[in-house]
Each structure stands twice: as structure tokens, then as C-alpha cells.
Amino acid sequence: YYGDGLNAIIVFAVCFMPESSQPNYRYIMDHLFKYVIGTLELLVAENYMIVYLNGATSRKKMPTVGWLRKCYQQIDRRLRKNLKSLIIVHPSWFIRTLLALTKPFIRYI
């Protein structure tokens, strides 16, 4: 928890994500998303921040764009509205490219 109008800081370390080569990868990722959303709904009453640690992570451990898009579409409007900042630490070239391509389509509130 943090002051200055932010209730929580959520940190994701991608190096601890499962590898995409696992046979039940899709199942693990779907349940991981449900766990994160359930936890966010309990934690977040007001504004919050997400810190995404990407440094020295292999491509096998990074979530796919399709999975990220699906997750974004399933997030409740209240959670999307209360997200005040997303900080990406040490983004890879893939993430930089993805952000450059999607930035014109992201609405700022």
C-alpha cells in the first residue's frame, strides 16, 4: 500500500511466470488471471498502480498478446478506471514495439 491517492502497488515479475512449452500452459494462465482479478477486487477500492518487471526474461515466459487482450477485455470497468499507472521496467524490444503500435488506440481518462 502507498499514500498520495494510491491504495495499492501490484508487482508482476515475469521471470516467475510458467514457460509456454508446458502442456497445460493455457489452463495455468487462465487460472492465474482469475486469481489476480480476484485479488485485485479484494485489494482495490480506489486508485492503484501496476509495476511489470520484465528484465532478463526469456520470450518463453512472456504472456502472448492474445492472452493480454483477452484479459483486458474481461477486466471489470471499475478496475480499468482505477488503474492510475502501468510501469514497465526494462521492456524488451517486443514490448516497446507493441506499445508503439497500440498507443494511438489507448484512451486516457
Side-chain angles (χ1 to χ4, degrees), residues 24-101:
N24 55 353
Y25 177 76
R26 188 82 164 164
Y27 175 82
I28 293 169
M29 293 301 284
D30 288 342
H31 281 76
L32 176 65
F33 171 72
K34 289 176 185 176
Y35 171 77
V36 169
I37 292 302
T39 304
L40 278 175
E41 287 176 348
L42 294 174
L43 280 175
V44 176
E46 300 273 331
N47 302 334
Y48 68 101
M49 173 189 334
I50 294 178
V51 179
Y52 180 87
L53 304 174
N54 192 65
T57 301
S58 69
R59 176 82 183 196
K60 292 178 186 179
K61 292 193 174 197
M62 283 195 257
T64 63
V65 175
W67 184 79
L68 292 172
R69 190 182 81 231
K70 177 184 153 192
C71 291
Y72 181 77
Q73 291 170 345
Q74 291 180 354
I75 292 175
D76 185 56
R77 183 181 182 280
R78 180 182 64 87
L79 289 176
R80 276 187 270 168
K81 187 176 113 182
N82 289 341
L83 176 63
K84 292 305 169 192
S85 62
L86 170 66
I87 299 172
I88 301 173
V89 181
H90 298 294
S92 64
W93 66 270
F94 176 73
I95 291 177
R96 288 183 197 156
T97 305
L98 182 66
L99 289 174
L101 292 173

